[in-house]
Amino acid sequence: MNGKANVSKELNAKHKKILEGLLKLPENRECADCKAKGPRWASVNLGIFICMQCSGIHRSLGVHISKVRSATWTLGFQSKLHSFNRWEMRKQIVTGKQNYLQL
C-alpha cells in the first residue's frame, strides 16, 4: 500500500498548518533567489522557498543539488515537510531568531 494514503486527516491538517506558518514568516514571503513576492515552490533539501521561474533553474541543476517541490499543499510535499522543518529550526537557531513557529 502507498504510504501517502495512510496519512490521517489530523496529521494532514497539522502539516498544512505548519506549511502555512512557514510561508507566513517574513523571510519566506519572497523568493530566496530573486526576491519575487509570494513563492509557491520549495527546495526541500536546501530549506528555501522559491518562485516558479527559479524553480525551473533549480530543477535544471539536478536533484543531487536541489529537490524542488510545490509548496501548495499536496500529499507529496508532506513527506518532505519534516526534514524541511528541522532545517528551518536549525536556521532559526543559528540566526538567533526566537519563536520559530507558533502552532
Side-chain angles (χ1 to χ4, degrees), residues 11 19 22 30-31 60 81 100:
L11 187 58
L19 180 59
L22 287 170
E30 58 187 29
C31 174
S60 70
L81 188 59
Y100 158 70

Side-chain angles (χ1 to χ4, degrees), residues 13-74:
K14 180 181 177 183
H15 287 168
K16 185 174 182 178
K17 190 173 183 178
I18 291 169
L19 180 59
E20 289 170 352
L22 287 170
L23 285 167
K24 289 179 183 177
L25 291 173
E27 58 269 24
N28 293 335
R29 290 183 186 158
E30 58 187 29
C31 174
D33 288 348
C34 73
K35 306 303 180 201
K37 301 292 182 201
R40 290 293 174 239
W41 293 86
S43 174
V44 295
N45 64 317
L46 298 177
I48 58 173
F49 287 101
I50 51 179
C51 68
M52 183 181 286
Q53 185 174 0
C54 291
S55 74
I57 295 168
H58 277 254
R59 284 182 191 274
S60 70
L61 295 172
V63 295
H64 63 289
I65 296 177
S66 184
K67 295 180 182 178
V68 177
R69 302 287 186 269
S70 172
T72 56
W73 192 245
T74 64

Side-chain angles (χ1 to χ4, degrees), residues 27 85-101:
E27 58 269 24
N85 282 339
R86 280 187 281 140
W87 187 91
E88 279 291 321
M89 285 188 277
R90 262 187 261 128
K91 181 177 152 188
Q92 298 296 321
I93 291 166
V94 169
T95 59
K97 295 182 181 176
Q98 301 297 319
N99 298 326
Y100 158 70
L101 184 61

